[in-house]
PDB file of all heavy atoms in Angstrom:
ATOM      1  N   SER X  73     -32.536 -42.364 211.672  1.00 87.00           N
ATOM      2  CA  SER X  73     -31.839 -41.606 212.705  1.00 87.00           C
ATOM      3  C   SER X  73     -31.104 -42.471 213.718  1.00 87.00           C
ATOM      4  O   SER X  73     -30.082 -42.055 214.235  1.00 87.00           O
ATOM      5  CB  SER X  73     -32.812 -40.675 213.429  1.00 87.00           C
ATOM      6  OG  SER X  73     -33.862 -41.410 214.001  1.00 87.00           O
ATOM      7  N   ASN X  74     -31.579 -43.673 214.010  1.00 94.00           N
ATOM      8  CA  ASN X  74     -30.954 -44.469 215.062  1.00 94.00           C
ATOM      9  C   ASN X  74     -29.915 -45.444 214.524  1.00 94.00           C
ATOM     10  O   ASN X  74     -30.004 -45.905 213.383  1.00 94.00           O
ATOM     11  CB  ASN X  74     -32.031 -45.270 215.808  1.00 94.00           C
ATOM     12  CG  ASN X  74     -32.913 -44.388 216.641  1.00 94.00           C
ATOM     13  OD1 ASN X  74     -32.518 -43.915 217.684  1.00 94.00           O
ATOM     14  ND2 ASN X  74     -34.120 -44.131 216.146  1.00 94.00           N
ATOM     15  N   PHE X  75     -28.961 -45.752 215.379  1.00 96.00           N
ATOM     16  CA  PHE X  75     -27.939 -46.756 215.070  1.00 96.00           C
ATOM     17  C   PHE X  75     -27.792 -47.586 216.337  1.00 96.00           C
ATOM     18  O   PHE X  75     -27.487 -47.036 217.397  1.00 96.00           O
ATOM     19  CB  PHE X  75     -26.637 -46.053 214.686  1.00 96.00           C
ATOM     20  CG  PHE X  75     -25.495 -46.977 214.353  1.00 96.00           C
ATOM     21  CD1 PHE X  75     -25.637 -48.001 213.448  1.00 96.00           C
ATOM     22  CD2 PHE X  75     -24.249 -46.780 214.930  1.00 96.00           C
ATOM     23  CE1 PHE X  75     -24.574 -48.833 213.120  1.00 96.00           C
ATOM     24  CE2 PHE X  75     -23.181 -47.607 214.624  1.00 96.00           C
ATOM     25  CZ  PHE X  75     -23.345 -48.636 213.718  1.00 96.00           C
ATOM     26  N   THR X  76     -28.066 -48.878 216.243  1.00 97.00           N
ATOM     27  CA  THR X  76     -28.114 -49.693 217.462  1.00 97.00           C
ATOM     28  C   THR X  76     -27.043 -50.776 217.472  1.00 97.00           C
ATOM     29  O   THR X  76     -26.637 -51.281 216.419  1.00 97.00           O
ATOM     30  CB  THR X  76     -29.486 -50.362 217.631  1.00 97.00           C
ATOM     31  OG1 THR X  76     -29.720 -51.225 216.517  1.00 97.00           O
ATOM     32  CG2 THR X  76     -30.603 -49.337 217.710  1.00 97.00           C
ATOM     33  N   LEU X  77     -26.636 -51.117 218.681  1.00 98.00           N
ATOM     34  CA  LEU X  77     -25.735 -52.253 218.916  1.00 98.00           C
ATOM     35  C   LEU X  77     -26.493 -53.237 219.789  1.00 98.00           C
ATOM     36  O   LEU X  77     -26.949 -52.879 220.873  1.00 98.00           O
ATOM     37  CB  LEU X  77     -24.458 -51.797 219.619  1.00 98.00           C
ATOM     38  CG  LEU X  77     -23.494 -52.906 220.048  1.00 98.00           C
ATOM     39  CD1 LEU X  77     -22.842 -53.581 218.840  1.00 98.00           C
ATOM     40  CD2 LEU X  77     -22.401 -52.359 220.977  1.00 98.00           C
ATOM     41  N   LYS X  78     -26.627 -54.470 219.297  1.00 98.00           N
ATOM     42  CA  LYS X  78     -27.311 -55.496 220.076  1.00 98.00           C
ATOM     43  C   LYS X  78     -26.302 -56.534 220.522  1.00 98.00           C
ATOM     44  O   LYS X  78     -25.467 -56.985 219.716  1.00 98.00           O
ATOM     45  CB  LYS X  78     -28.398 -56.180 219.238  1.00 98.00           C
ATOM     46  CG  LYS X  78     -29.206 -57.217 220.023  1.00 98.00           C
ATOM     47  CD  LYS X  78     -30.046 -58.122 219.136  1.00 98.00           C
ATOM     48  CE  LYS X  78     -31.176 -57.429 218.480  1.00 98.00           C
ATOM     49  NZ  LYS X  78     -32.070 -58.366 217.751  1.00 98.00           N
ATOM     50  N   ILE X  79     -26.376 -56.888 221.792  1.00 97.00           N
ATOM     51  CA  ILE X  79     -25.593 -58.012 222.306  1.00 97.00           C
ATOM     52  C   ILE X  79     -26.609 -59.076 222.657  1.00 97.00           C
ATOM     53  O   ILE X  79     -27.464 -58.882 223.533  1.00 97.00           O
ATOM     54  CB  ILE X  79     -24.748 -57.632 223.533  1.00 97.00           C
ATOM     55  CG1 ILE X  79     -23.926 -56.365 223.256  1.00 97.00           C
ATOM     56  CG2 ILE X  79     -23.815 -58.784 223.888  1.00 97.00           C
ATOM     57  CD1 ILE X  79     -23.164 -55.837 224.455  1.00 97.00           C
ATOM     58  N   ARG X  80     -26.522 -60.207 221.974  1.00 96.00           N
ATOM     59  CA  ARG X  80     -27.588 -61.218 222.032  1.00 96.00           C
ATOM     60  C   ARG X  80     -27.668 -61.904 223.386  1.00 96.00           C
ATOM     61  O   ARG X  80     -28.730 -62.052 223.957  1.00 96.00           O
ATOM     62  CB  ARG X  80     -27.356 -62.260 220.946  1.00 96.00           C
ATOM     63  CG  ARG X  80     -28.617 -62.880 220.396  1.00 96.00           C
ATOM     64  CD  ARG X  80     -28.330 -63.903 219.301  1.00 96.00           C
ATOM     65  NE  ARG X  80     -27.193 -63.595 218.477  1.00 96.00           N
ATOM     66  CZ  ARG X  80     -27.211 -62.788 217.410  1.00 96.00           C
ATOM     67  NH1 ARG X  80     -28.314 -62.196 217.059  1.00 96.00           N
ATOM     68  NH2 ARG X  80     -26.108 -62.573 216.707  1.00 96.00           N
ATOM     69  N   SER X  81     -26.576 -62.324 223.915  1.00 95.00           N
ATOM     70  CA  SER X  81     -26.551 -63.057 225.182  1.00 95.00           C
ATOM     71  C   SER X  81     -25.336 -62.556 225.957  1.00 95.00           C
ATOM     72  O   SER X  81     -24.213 -63.003 225.725  1.00 95.00           O
ATOM     73  CB  SER X  81     -26.443 -64.558 224.911  1.00 95.00           C
ATOM     74  OG  SER X  81     -26.315 -65.274 226.130  1.00 95.00           O
ATOM     75  N   THR X  82     -25.582 -61.594 226.838  1.00 97.00           N
ATOM     76  CA  THR X  82     -24.466 -60.892 227.470  1.00 97.00           C
ATOM     77  C   THR X  82     -23.654 -61.800 228.384  1.00 97.00           C
ATOM     78  O   THR X  82     -24.180 -62.708 229.035  1.00 97.00           O
ATOM     79  CB  THR X  82     -24.974 -59.690 228.278  1.00 97.00           C
ATOM     80  OG1 THR X  82     -26.065 -60.118 229.115  1.00 97.00           O
ATOM     81  CG2 THR X  82     -25.430 -58.571 227.364  1.00 97.00           C
ATOM     82  N   LYS X  83     -22.347 -61.499 228.408  1.00 96.00           N
ATOM     83  CA  LYS X  83     -21.422 -62.203 229.301  1.00 96.00           C
ATOM     84  C   LYS X  83     -20.852 -61.176 230.279  1.00 96.00           C
ATOM     85  O   LYS X  83     -20.915 -59.961 230.028  1.00 96.00           O
ATOM     86  CB  LYS X  83     -20.278 -62.820 228.490  1.00 96.00           C
ATOM     87  CG  LYS X  83     -20.731 -63.791 227.415  1.00 96.00           C
ATOM     88  CD  LYS X  83     -19.568 -64.545 226.817  1.00 96.00           C
ATOM     89  CE  LYS X  83     -18.882 -63.824 225.713  1.00 96.00           C
ATOM     90  NZ  LYS X  83     -19.648 -63.839 224.464  1.00 96.00           N
ATOM     91  N   LEU X  84     -20.295 -61.673 231.364  1.00 97.00           N
ATOM     92  CA  LEU X  84     -19.708 -60.760 232.358  1.00 97.00           C
ATOM     93  C   LEU X  84     -18.678 -59.835 231.717  1.00 97.00           C
ATOM     94  O   LEU X  84     -18.609 -58.644 232.040  1.00 97.00           O
ATOM     95  CB  LEU X  84     -19.046 -61.552 233.495  1.00 97.00           C
ATOM     96  CG  LEU X  84     -19.960 -62.411 234.358  1.00 97.00           C
ATOM     97  CD1 LEU X  84     -19.148 -63.201 235.372  1.00 97.00           C
ATOM     98  CD2 LEU X  84     -21.005 -61.565 235.062  1.00 97.00           C
ATOM     99  N   GLU X  85     -17.903 -60.399 230.796  1.00 96.00           N
ATOM    100  CA  GLU X  85     -16.821 -59.611 230.182  1.00 96.00           C
ATOM    101  C   GLU X  85     -17.307 -58.575 229.168  1.00 96.00           C
ATOM    102  O   GLU X  85     -16.509 -57.829 228.608  1.00 96.00           O
ATOM    103  CB  GLU X  85     -15.775 -60.534 229.534  1.00 96.00           C
ATOM    104  CG  GLU X  85     -16.331 -61.529 228.550  1.00 96.00           C
ATOM    105  CD  GLU X  85     -16.623 -62.892 229.167  1.00 96.00           C
ATOM    106  OE1 GLU X  85     -17.074 -62.951 230.333  1.00 96.00           O
ATOM    107  OE2 GLU X  85     -16.427 -63.907 228.465  1.00 96.00           O
ATOM    108  N   ASP X  86     -18.621 -58.531 228.934  1.00 97.00           N
ATOM    109  CA  ASP X  86     -19.175 -57.466 228.086  1.00 97.00           C
ATOM    110  C   ASP X  86     -19.376 -56.169 228.874  1.00 97.00           C
ATOM    111  O   ASP X  86     -19.722 -55.131 228.294  1.00 97.00           O
ATOM    112  CB  ASP X  86     -20.518 -57.897 227.483  1.00 97.00           C
ATOM    113  CG  ASP X  86     -20.363 -59.040 226.509  1.00 97.00           C
ATOM    114  OD1 ASP X  86     -19.318 -59.114 225.817  1.00 97.00           O
ATOM    115  OD2 ASP X  86     -21.288 -59.879 226.436  1.00 97.00           O
ATOM    116  N   SER X  87     -19.183 -56.228 230.181  1.00 97.00           N
ATOM    117  CA  SER X  87     -19.297 -55.015 231.000  1.00 97.00           C
ATOM    118  C   SER X  87     -18.252 -54.011 230.539  1.00 97.00           C
ATOM    119  O   SER X  87     -17.051 -54.314 230.534  1.00 97.00           O
ATOM    120  CB  SER X  87     -19.067 -55.334 232.478  1.00 97.00           C
ATOM    121  OG  SER X  87     -20.102 -56.151 232.974  1.00 97.00           O
ATOM    122  N   ALA X  88     -18.700 -52.842 230.146  1.00 96.00           N
ATOM    123  CA  ALA X  88     -17.797 -51.835 229.580  1.00 96.00           C
ATOM    124  C   ALA X  88     -18.594 -50.562 229.314  1.00 96.00           C
ATOM    125  O   ALA X  88     -19.818 -50.541 229.433  1.00 96.00           O
ATOM    126  CB  ALA X  88     -17.182 -52.327 228.267  1.00 96.00           C
TER     127      ALA X  88
END
Side-chain angles (χ1 to χ4, degrees):
Chain X
S73 58
N74 290 285
F75 180 51
T76 61
L77 174 69
K78 183 194 291 187
I79 309 174
R80 211 179 326 276
S81 176
T82 49
K83 302 190 275 285
L84 296 176
E85 54 265 37
D86 294 327
S87 294

